[in-house]
Amino acid sequence: IYSGIFLPVVVAISFLISFTTINSVVYLSRRYRSNGGYYSYAGSIFGKPAGLFTSLLYVAYSFLVLPDIVFFDTSFLGSVFPAFIHLYTVKVLVSVIFVVSPLILVSLGLKRSILYTIGAGVSELVFILVLGILLLVYRNPVPAVYTGQANPIISIFQGLIFGILAFSGGASSIFLSENTRNGKKTVPRALLISYLATGSSMIFVSVGIVLFLGNSISLYS
């Protein structure tokens, strides 16, 4: 909606901006091993009040993000199954499944939940890459035309707000650093590899989206 044909530019800039955050976490994870993550880092460096404040922010975020994900997923399901998803009972059922399934998964133990997380992550990455290739193969022969704001810089800036959000959560593995063998080496390496792999695939597929939509991009937005 905001970026139009500059979507790949927005994703690339968001990738670079978000890298500053990841780089800071990588630096800290080489010096501290803690399943506490962010608030442990803040507490170790700036003192206990800063650590407590950071932990409260994270708890508040956790309470908000779960219902957000549920609403997000049900809205997508509604576009695929409009005849069913508008029913209140179906929405409640879908919401319960989304909330309960991670709890069940975690209750199976650390090893199994990590294996599932790796499998789901690799599957998602493969899906994105396949999707990007298909978008390039079946791209629109008529190139996209810029139809956004009068000033392209404004479009890019507005898109960056959502572009940076797309890279949030990239440092999730620090919350397992204390349980990881040789964590001060493994965790920073994992952070960098996963971030580079994710960012590269997102930039690739954003190029595919623009080429696939071509002159239909404004209509799609």
Side-chain angles (χ1 to χ4, degrees):
I1 294 173
Y2 297 107
S3 310
I5 62 173
F6 298 108
L7 178 63
V9 176
V10 167
V11 177
I13 295 173
S14 300
F15 173 74
L16 293 173
I17 292 173
S18 301
F19 185 76
T20 59
T21 303
I22 291 292
N23 190 51
S24 300
V25 178
V26 168
Y27 177 84
L28 291 168
S29 65
R30 285 175 179 154
R31 282 151 182 78
Y32 302 99
R33 285 185 67 187
S34 170
N35 289 351
Y38 296 122
Y39 58 86
S40 294
Y41 295 163
S44 300
I45 298 165
F46 299 110
K48 288 181 181 178
L52 179 62
F53 178 68
T54 307
S55 66
L56 291 174
L57 285 177
Y58 207 85
V59 169
Y61 170 78
S62 299
F63 275 114
L64 290 170
V65 76
L66 185 59
D68 272 353
I69 291 171
V70 170
F71 289 135
F72 189 72
D73 288 333
T74 50
S75 67
F76 269 98
L77 286 173
S79 64
V80 180
F81 306 107
F84 300 100
I85 205 68
H86 74 280
L87 298 172
Y88 182 74
T89 50
V90 176
K91 280 189 175 180
V92 171
L93 181 63
V94 170
S95 301
V96 169
I97 291 170
F98 276 121
V99 171
V100 172
S101 54
L103 299 175
I104 295 172
L105 184 66
V106 171
S107 70
L108 296 175
L110 193 61
K111 256 183 188 175
R112 287 185 183 178
S113 59
I114 286 176
L115 284 174
Y116 172 82
T117 305
I118 293 169
V122 171
S123 301
E124 186 178 3
L125 193 62
V126 170
F127 175 81
I128 291 171
L129 292 173
V130 170
L131 179 65
I133 293 167
L134 290 172
L135 290 171
L136 291 174
V137 171
Y138 296 101
R139 64 184 181 274
N140 195 321
V142 183
V145 179
Y146 179 65
T147 55
Q149 300 276 354
N151 189 342
I153 295 174
I154 295 174
S155 291
I156 292 171
F157 182 77
Q158 287 179 327
L160 280 174
I161 298 168
F162 299 97
I164 292 170
L165 181 64
F167 288 98
S168 64
S172 298
S173 57
I174 60 172
F175 296 98
L176 293 171
S177 62
E178 205 170 337
N179 293 90
T180 308
R181 190 181 299 164
N182 200 8
K184 289 185 179 180
K185 286 186 178 179
T186 307
V187 173
R189 193 183 301 134
L191 284 168
L192 286 172
I193 292 170
S194 62
Y195 187 76
L196 291 171
T198 306
S200 302
S201 64
M202 287 173 69
I203 293 168
F204 171 66
V205 82
S206 68
V207 173
I209 289 169
V210 172
L211 292 176
F212 175 76
L213 293 172
N215 65 343
S216 303
I217 192 164
S218 58
L219 181 65
Y220 178 79
S221 297

